[in-house]
Amino acid sequence: MPGGVNSPVRSFSNVDCNPPFISHAAGSHIFDIDGNEYIDYVGSWGPMIVGHAHPRVVKALQEVAAKGTSYGAPTGLESKLAKLVMKIYPSIEVIRMVNSGTEATMSALRLARGFTKREKIVKFVGCYHGHSDGLLVSAGSGLATFGVPSSPGVTQGTAKDTIAIPYNDTAAVEKVFAECGEEIAAVIVEPIAGNMGLVLPVEGFLQTLRDITIKYGALLIFDEVMCGFRCALGGAQELYNIKPDLTCLGKIIGGGLPCAAYGGREDIMRQISPDGKVYQAGTLSGNPLAMTAGIETLSILIEDADFTNKITAKTSRLVEGLKSKAAMFNVNIQAQQAGSMFGFFFSDKPVNNYDDAAAADQMKFKTYFTAMLEQGIYLAPSQFETSFMSSAHSDKDIDKTITAAENAFKLCAD
Ligand code: HOZ
């Protein structure tokens, strides 16, 4: 396997060590094959909002697995998950299930181009929307981690239709639309960016995107694969009260199994085959196990009206703890939180875009990361990723993490 892994950042090569090989996980903890136990803030890169191996999810999966694992035919489970998602996301009038966030964003873009009969798309530097060719231009996550903003293998022909501009830069958005607004099919954005580290939208940025796309007849696509169901139950569109034309979901929607979805305005979504001519298909789409894990996970979120408040409060306690420990040693950090997503940069100035994130101190991050891992705290091995809290994290977990951070920040002091 390249790098010994099936997805690049898992290799830990960015932090100069070998990754633990995982044997199992339960609740907020993950265990490796060498007998080490960690408090896990990666949560499989986001999906595990109710913790690992939640008994309710596991039980439902066992029952469904015994009835067969894939039919390639419609099931009631698909309808049940679709209804749950559409209740949480009222902007989604029609939905299509797929298997990964990459498929969701790739398909949403094809649909936007088919619907508008235009070819250009606008994305933001440092936002990561999966690894389809046209979106691997100035992308975040693993590309930012390894310093390869645009992947070899993406043809110039494909890249020329992708316009990448700085995140949170309203003037750049206006300039691009003034220059070629009539050619733009869609603007795709992580409304809360999680793949250049956690970067929040500045006031007015998302509203500008909404207004300008309406003005020029382009579509607005919210990639809520990471922030969906997390920054608020109804995602960034609920938090900021902005209604996109299309939404891409992933991670939590599959409760830890491969599942994602895209959906939105009915007149647009009905262009998808077989209702319309824009083609997109998948052998395992709507897989019964993935639907089941999604149904159970979303049901847990919905049934406790206080779920999001509780997990957000827990995250705030941790973030405040980290900030106070960094301050003890005069280590400058810029901490951010959106619901149960959190992260910080080793930087003394606010981080609003990819350039700000890239200017943060990577060596200090490496020192911090290594010290935390040694103390049993499992974090994403890159400053260009986000950390995730689960409902399974206990007060004890958080206290232990804050104590570990004190030791780690001490090593980062100048
Ligand atoms: N791009 C994912 C994180 N933003 C990586 C997922 C993985 O390596 O599993």
Side-chain angles (χ1 to χ4, degrees):
M1 287 179 265
V5 288
N6 284 309
S7 193
V9 282
R10 294 181 199 177
S11 71
F12 280 37
S13 56
N14 177 55
V15 285
D16 301 331
C17 61
N18 288 320
F21 272 53
I22 304 306
S23 61
H24 65 287
S28 58
H29 286 222
I30 193 161
F31 302 81
D32 71 17
I33 56 172
D34 299 312
N36 299 306
E37 179 175 352
Y38 307 90
I39 301 171
D40 177 22
Y41 293 102
V42 177
S44 188
W45 306 89
M48 312 314 298
I49 192 167
V50 298
H52 293 281
H54 190 289
R56 178 169 165 181
V57 179
V58 171
K59 183 167 177 286
L61 281 173
Q62 284 167 337
E63 284 166 10
V64 170
K67 297 184 196 164
T69 55
S70 182
Y71 317 122
T75 67
L77 293 168
E78 293 167 288
S79 308
K80 195 167 174 187
L81 183 58
K83 280 185 186 149
L84 276 174
V85 173
M86 290 157 77
K87 196 168 166 212
I88 299 171
Y89 275 86
S91 74
I92 301 182
E93 295 163 358
V94 176
I95 189 166
R96 169 61 63 85
M97 301 292 175
V98 290
N99 299 293
S100 71
T102 292
E103 267 187 77
T105 52
M106 177 183 79
S107 309
L109 281 188
R110 183 182 307 138
L111 173 59
R113 286 176 164 138
F115 181 80
T116 59
K117 303 188 174 43
R118 299 173 179 184
E119 302 208 339
K120 292 194 188 306
I121 59 144
V122 173
K123 78 173 287 285
F124 296 92
V125 179
C127 282
Y128 177 75
H129 305 287
H131 58 87
S132 68
D133 283 4
L135 288 166
L136 283 187
V137 175
S138 300
S141 191
L143 291 97
T145 301
F146 300 114
V148 190
S150 305
S151 172
V154 175
T155 64
Q156 283 179 8
T158 305
K160 84 169 172 27
D161 287 327
T162 304
I163 303 168
I165 53 178
Y167 194 74
N168 275 328
D169 189 339
T170 306
V173 175
E174 282 161 355
K175 186 164 176 276
V176 160
F177 271 89
E179 280 166 10
C180 59
E182 258 91 50
E183 294 168 61
I184 295 170
V187 173
I188 185 164
V189 65
E190 285 184 85
I192 290 175
N195 285 291
M196 50 177 138
L198 182 60
V199 177
L200 305 184
V202 296
E203 207 183 330
F205 175 61
L206 298 175
Q207 189 62 54
T208 300
L209 300 185
R210 180 63 290 185
D211 295 343
I212 209 155
T213 44
I214 289 174
K215 183 172 165 200
Y216 284 88
L219 303 186
L220 178 60
I221 305 173
F222 271 12
D223 176 350
E224 299 217 26
V225 167
M226 197 182 267
C227 67
F229 310 106
R230 240 187 210 285
C231 60
L233 179 62
Q237 51 200 268
E238 178 187 299
L239 192 63
Y240 296 106
N241 192 25
I242 309 264
K243 191 176 171 189
D245 301 300
L246 295 173
T247 300
C248 300
L249 297 168
K251 301 192 188 278
I252 289 172
I253 194 179
L257 271 85
C259 174
Y262 64 101
R265 264 171 50 193
E266 170 146 22
D267 58 330
I268 304 170
M269 285 300 293
R270 292 285 176 214
Q271 303 303 313
I272 291 289
S273 184
D275 283 347
K277 292 193 174 132
V278 178
Y279 200 71
Q280 182 272 309
T283 299
L284 292 173
S285 296
N287 173 269
L289 291 175
M291 297 299 101
T292 299
I295 291 165
E296 296 306 323
T297 300
L298 293 189
S299 299
I300 294 168
L301 265 59
I302 293 169
E303 284 165 17
D304 178 359
D306 228 15
F307 184 96
T308 304
N309 288 341
K310 284 192 289 201
I311 195 171
T312 300
K314 225 187 258 194
T315 310
S316 302
R317 188 165 89 76
L318 176 57
V319 170
E320 288 311 312
L322 297 177
K323 277 170 32 183
S324 77
K325 295 301 179 191
M328 267 173 76
F329 302 102
N330 293 322
V331 175
N332 285 319
I333 64 166
Q334 301 295 322
Q336 307 266 40
Q337 179 189 353
S340 52
M341 300 166 76
F342 66 100
F344 67 82
F345 296 92
F346 286 95
S347 175
D348 52 10
K349 63 180 178 80
V351 176
N352 288 323
N353 57 38
Y354 175 73
D355 283 349
D356 296 339
D361 192 325
Q362 304 297 327
M363 290 313 293
K364 281 189 181 163
F365 172 78
K366 220 183 269 190
T367 304
Y368 176 83
F369 170 86
T370 309
M372 292 299 269
L373 191 68
E374 279 167 8
Q375 296 174 88
I377 313 294
Y378 188 76
L379 303 167
S382 165
Q383 208 166 195
F384 297 107
E385 300 287 352
T386 294
S387 297
F388 303 100
M389 183 71 76
S390 82
S391 54
H393 284 83
S394 64
D395 282 343
K396 203 170 138 209
D397 288 333
I398 293 173
D399 289 338
K400 191 174 168 209
T401 307
I402 294 171
T403 304
E406 179 175 339
N407 299 326
F409 283 128
K410 195 186 293 178
L411 302 175
C412 298
D414 290 320

